């Protein structure tokens, strides 16, 4: 079982993790990277060995554990963006140095939040113990309990993540959580854009209809196009329109075909 000890020294706060002597000799490469390199998104660490005891000191000055931070704060969509971005940054750092993401400790008391920027830092523990597999169930449960009431989409997403993790267990990766949140945000933005476009189109259509209705209301009652019907041309039928019958007709006039004229009229 992972045991965490907190130490205050020279106005700095440290988190201390012990490892067995035989474990301290195994992950030599991981020890050197985590203690000599500054990895973005991860807590800075220092390696120590004393009286046969091995372990790491992690600097947590000016930081607060997520479990305590969520006692006073609520989770919003923007906060989830920060969490996922911080986790993505940490995963990139691990990938750059070929470190296994399974060694990130995802317990609520092992994720630290900067009070002002709300930037999050993760704890990398190189001494991988087989029985201490990565477990994010407690973290997801805490996030679900701490979601803002006005954030139903965020709560629904976290429930889906929890269900996915509960089903896959060891097959579920932190990279999956990052990609699922990014896809969730992208789909939501696309839906919002489509809704806005639909609303705009409906407004434009209603405006066009209003213009058309106004034009139709003001147009003349009857407009006669001076075109002969084919049957009238063939059979020479007579057609007369009188102005008094159609006072609003802009093309009303008397006209007749030559074929309709009587011989005496010629």
């Amino acid at each position: 079982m992972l045991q965490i000890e907190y130490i205050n020294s020279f106005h700095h706060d440290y988190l201390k993790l012990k490892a067995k002597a035989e474990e301290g000799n195994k992950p030599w490469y991981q020890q050197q990277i985590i203690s000599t390199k500054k990895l973005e998104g991860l807590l800075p660490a220092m390696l120590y060995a004393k009286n046969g005891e091995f372990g790491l000191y992690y600097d947590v000055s000016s930081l607060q554990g997520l479990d305590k931070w969520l006692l006073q704060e609520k989770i919003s969509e923007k906060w989830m963006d920060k969490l996922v971005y911080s986790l993505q940054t940490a995963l990139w750092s691990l990938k750059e140095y070929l470190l296994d993401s399974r060694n990130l400790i995802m317990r609520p008391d092992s994720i630290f939040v900067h009070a002002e920027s709300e930037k999050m830092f993760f704890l990398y523990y190189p001494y991988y113990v087989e029985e201490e597999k990565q477990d994010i169930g407690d973290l997801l449960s805490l996030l679900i309990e701490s979601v803002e009431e006005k954030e139903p989409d965020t709560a629904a997403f976290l429930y889906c993540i929890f269900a996915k993790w509960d089903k896959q267990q060891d097959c579920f990766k932190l990279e999956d959580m990052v990609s699922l949140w990014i896809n969730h945000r992208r789909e939501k933005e696309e839906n919002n854009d489509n809704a806005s476009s639909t609303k705009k189109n409906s407004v434009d259509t209603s405006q066009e209809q209003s213009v058309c209705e106004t034009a139709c209301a003001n147009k003349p009652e009857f407009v006669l196009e001076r075109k002969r019907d084919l049957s009238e041309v063939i059979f020479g039928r007579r057609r007369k329109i009188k102005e008094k019958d159609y006072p609003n007709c802009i093309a009303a006039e008397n006209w007749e075909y030559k074929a309709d004229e009587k011989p005496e009229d010629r």
Side-chain angles (χ1 to χ4, degrees):
M1 183 66 180
L2 190 65
Q3 295 182 349
I4 296 178
E5 181 182 353
Y6 289 95
I7 299 174
N8 181 270
S9 178
F10 299 104
H11 306 290
H12 282 271
D13 296 319
Y14 295 96
L15 182 153
K16 180 181 179 182
L17 288 179
K18 297 180 181 179
K20 297 179 182 178
E22 59 271 19
E23 292 174 352
N25 293 327
K26 287 181 180 180
W28 184 86
Y29 171 75
Q30 292 92 325
Q31 293 173 3
Q32 295 302 312
I33 293 297
I34 194 66
S35 60
T36 59
K37 303 291 183 180
K38 184 178 180 181
L39 304 184
E40 287 293 327
L42 300 181
L43 292 172
M46 295 179 294
L47 181 67
Y48 78 91
K50 184 178 181 181
N51 299 328
E53 181 181 284
F54 292 85
L56 286 167
Y57 283 111
Y58 298 86
D59 191 353
V60 294
S61 303
S62 304
L63 301 176
Q64 188 175 20
L66 182 61
D67 55 339
K68 295 180 180 178
W69 191 87
L70 288 178
L71 292 176
Q72 299 177 345
E73 303 292 338
K74 290 293 183 180
I75 291 176
S76 64
E77 189 174 67
K78 292 183 178 179
W79 188 89
M80 281 296 298
D81 284 338
K82 294 179 181 179
L83 170 63
V84 172
Y85 176 77
S86 298
L87 178 57
Q88 190 176 36
T89 301
L91 293 174
W92 281 339
S93 297
L94 295 178
K95 187 176 181 180
E96 182 180 4
Y97 290 97
L98 304 178
L99 300 176
D100 197 335
S101 63
R102 291 180 301 175
N103 292 99
L104 283 180
I105 309 302
M106 297 300 294
R107 292 176 6 183
D109 62 345
S110 301
I111 300 173
F112 291 83
V113 185
H114 191 274
E116 295 182 359
S117 66
E118 293 187 357
K119 185 177 180 181
M120 275 147 274
F121 298 88
F122 298 86
L123 191 158
Y124 178 85
Y125 185 65
Y127 314 114
Y128 180 79
V129 181
E130 190 65 28
E131 57 268 17
E132 293 178 358
K133 297 180 181 179
Q134 192 178 81
D135 185 355
I136 64 172
D138 292 340
L139 172 62
L140 293 176
S141 298
L142 181 60
L143 294 180
I144 291 172
E145 294 173 0
S146 305
V147 175
E148 285 275 6
E149 294 182 359
K150 298 179 180 180
E151 298 271 353
D153 290 343
T154 304
F157 171 82
L158 290 172
Y159 276 113
C160 291
I161 288 290
F162 186 90
K164 191 175 183 66
W165 166 81
D166 188 51
K167 182 178 180 181
Q168 295 183 354
Q169 291 292 327
D170 296 339
C171 296
F172 186 85
K173 298 180 180 180
L174 295 176
E175 291 82 354
D176 297 334
M177 182 175 177
V178 171
S179 60
L180 287 171
W181 176 255
I182 292 175
N183 291 335
H184 166 75
R185 294 288 281 130
R186 183 184 297 115
E187 291 177 0
K188 185 174 181 180
E189 289 176 1
E190 290 176 354
N191 291 336
N192 290 338
D193 291 341
N194 292 336
S196 299
S197 178
T198 302
K199 184 177 180 180
K200 182 179 179 180
N201 291 336
S202 63
V203 171
D204 293 342
T205 303
S206 63
Q207 290 177 349
E208 291 176 1
Q209 290 176 348
S210 177
V211 171
C212 292
E213 291 172 357
T214 303
C216 291
N218 297 329
K219 73 178 182 179
E221 295 180 2
F222 181 83
V223 176
L224 174 66
E225 294 183 358
R226 301 184 62 178
K227 294 182 180 179
R228 299 181 181 180
D229 185 84
L230 183 59
S231 62
E232 295 175 343
V233 174
I234 294 175
F235 298 104
R237 294 181 179 177
R238 185 174 181 176
R239 182 176 182 181
K240 290 188 177 181
I241 300 177
K242 298 181 179 180
E243 294 183 12
K244 64 179 181 179
D245 296 330
Y246 301 96
N248 293 325
C249 179
I250 63 174
E253 64 179 62
N254 292 329
W255 60 272
E256 56 186 23
Y257 296 119
K258 262 189 172 183
D260 294 330
E261 294 181 4
K262 297 179 181 179
E264 59 271 17
D265 295 334
R266 294 181 182 176

